[in-house]
Amino acid sequence: MSFPIILFSLFRAHRYLQNMSDEEDYMSESFLQSLEDKRPGLTFSSKTTRFHQQEKKKKEKDEKNRVKPKKVLEAEKRVEGLNVAISSENKGFALLSKMGYKPGMALGKKGEGRCEPVPIELKTGRGGLGREIEVKRKLEDMRVKSAISHEKRQKIMSEEKRHFVGRMRNKFSEQRVNSDLYKSQKVCADLDARIGLTDPDRLFFWPDSYKNKDKSDEESDEESATNEEPDEDLELSSIEQLEILTDYLRKKHLYCVWCGTAFEDSEDIKTNCPGNTAELHDD
């Protein structure tokens, strides 16, 4: 750029500033306030404003076209239907009115029918009519059957447990009876021997090892052949044998197996012995 052009540009700038200073000082407060604020972030351009308006319209459109959940639609339709009464222009209302119906009356000859309209059922899926009701019915049937099966299983398990406990109780009770019977037989054999008895009053009163213990084998075989155990003794259970033997020991020898002692007389055993069973002595 040539020197004359530079001088000319400086001259024009000087004249412009001089004119402005004559009218209004460009550094004054009033001049600065009159200028438009161009600082970034405080104002939006027309393009930005238009973009925000388009976004807002798009959101409103999406909200309007959005499919509401079934429960929300059912609630809205229900409220809408209940809040609006059937008008006289309705054909069904007109037919009912001809037959004497008035608003608020129940249907039926004697007024035993419904007072309110049939509830609204909104269908949104693609299933056939009545499918949802059928699915609910089947689910309810499955729930009822499952509950019944669970109750049956619990009952069976309870019965099995009760039977098991009963079998175990009987097992241990039988073992205890056999043990008490054997002890009673040994005591009976010793007490009978003390009073000079060589044979038991009944064969099951003594253990097999005590019977004919001091006799020869030939004498034992001959006596066992002639003194066979009666049929009624063979049919007795261990408990019955123990009861008979206990009664014999208490009356004959005034002895109680569970107390482990011999009493002086019948009055003494009656007063100081708890009873004639093991359970009474457990207490």
Side-chain angles (χ1 to χ4, degrees):
M1 184 180 291
S2 61
F3 183 72
I5 295 175
I6 295 173
L7 289 177
F8 180 73
S9 299
L10 291 174
F11 176 75
R12 289 189 63 184
H14 177 72
R15 290 293 301 272
Y16 176 75
L17 294 174
Q18 187 177 6
N19 292 335
M20 288 186 63
S21 62
D22 293 341
E23 296 176 0
E24 184 178 0
D25 187 3
Y26 65 91
M27 294 298 292
S28 64
E29 187 70 22
S30 59
F31 180 77
L32 293 174
Q33 291 179 355
S34 64
L35 297 176
E36 184 180 357
D37 194 349
K38 296 294 184 179
R39 287 178 296 176
L42 296 180
T43 58
F44 297 99
S45 63
S46 58
K47 185 177 180 181
T48 305
T49 304
R50 190 163 54 254
F51 174 76
H52 284 293
Q53 290 177 352
Q54 291 176 355
E55 287 292 321
K56 185 178 180 181
K57 290 180 179 179
K58 184 178 179 182
K59 288 182 179 180
E60 292 176 352
K61 186 177 180 180
D62 292 342
E63 185 68 22
K64 184 178 180 181
N65 296 332
R66 184 173 63 88
V67 178
K68 296 181 180 179
K70 181 180 177 181
K71 291 185 177 180
V72 176
L73 291 174
E74 287 180 348
E76 291 179 355
K77 292 293 183 181
R78 190 180 299 111
V79 172
E80 180 182 350
L82 294 175
N83 290 336
V84 178
I86 299 177
S87 64
S88 58
E89 298 177 356
N90 184 277
K91 293 183 178 180
F93 184 84
L95 292 173
L96 289 173
S97 299
K98 291 181 179 180
M99 292 184 287
Y101 173 79
K102 295 181 180 179
M105 291 176 58
L107 299 178
K109 185 176 180 180
K110 298 181 180 180
E112 71 278 6
R114 64 168 64 246
C115 297
E116 299 294 332
V118 177
I120 299 172
E121 294 184 3
L122 187 63
K123 186 176 182 303
T124 57
R126 295 185 177 183
L129 294 175
R131 182 180 182 277
E132 294 182 1
I133 298 175
E134 184 65 17
V135 169
K136 290 181 180 179
R137 186 188 66 78
K138 289 184 178 180
L139 290 175
E140 182 64 19
D141 290 345
M142 290 176 61
R143 187 191 65 79
V144 172
K145 290 180 180 179
S146 177
I148 294 174
S149 300
H150 178 72
E151 185 178 355
K152 287 183 178 179
R153 285 195 300 269
Q154 293 294 328
K155 188 176 181 180
I156 292 172
M157 291 175 63
S158 178
E159 288 291 327
E160 290 180 350
K161 182 178 179 181
R162 186 172 61 83
H163 291 324
F164 174 76
V165 172
R167 288 195 302 270
M168 296 303 294
R169 186 183 294 113
N170 293 335
K171 179 179 179 181
F172 287 111
S173 177
E174 185 177 356
Q175 291 178 353
R176 182 175 182 179
V177 167
N178 292 330
S179 176
D180 290 342
L181 177 60
Y182 182 70
K183 288 190 294 184
S184 299
Q185 288 173 338
K186 288 173 62 178
V187 170
C188 182
D190 292 337
L191 293 176
D192 285 347
R194 289 181 185 180
I195 61 176
L197 296 177
T198 58
D199 294 315
D201 188 66
R202 298 178 70 165
L203 291 178
F204 65 85
F205 279 9
W206 289 12
D208 294 335
S209 58
Y210 279 68
K211 298 173 185 176
N212 305 321
K213 184 169 58 174
D214 298 329
K215 297 182 179 180
S216 62
D217 294 338
E218 293 181 359
E219 292 176 346
S220 299
D221 293 338
E222 291 177 0
E223 190 165 340
S224 61
T226 56
N227 297 328
E228 293 182 355
E229 192 170 4
D231 292 340
E232 58 180 10
D233 289 349
L234 293 174
E235 295 176 357
L236 294 175
S237 64
S238 298
I239 296 177
E240 293 172 334
Q241 291 181 5
L242 179 60
E243 290 177 354
I244 296 172
L245 181 55
T246 300
D247 186 64
Y248 173 79
L249 290 173
R250 292 172 71 87
K251 291 180 178 179
K252 182 73 174 179
H253 300 288
L254 300 175
Y255 187 86
C256 177
V257 175
W258 298 287
C259 292
T261 183
F263 295 89
E264 296 180 358
D265 50 32
S266 59
E267 188 65 28
D268 184 22
I269 193 173
K270 186 184 297 184
T271 304
N272 298 314
C273 180
N276 60 352
T277 61
E279 289 76 10
L280 294 174
H281 288 77
D282 291 341
D283 297 337

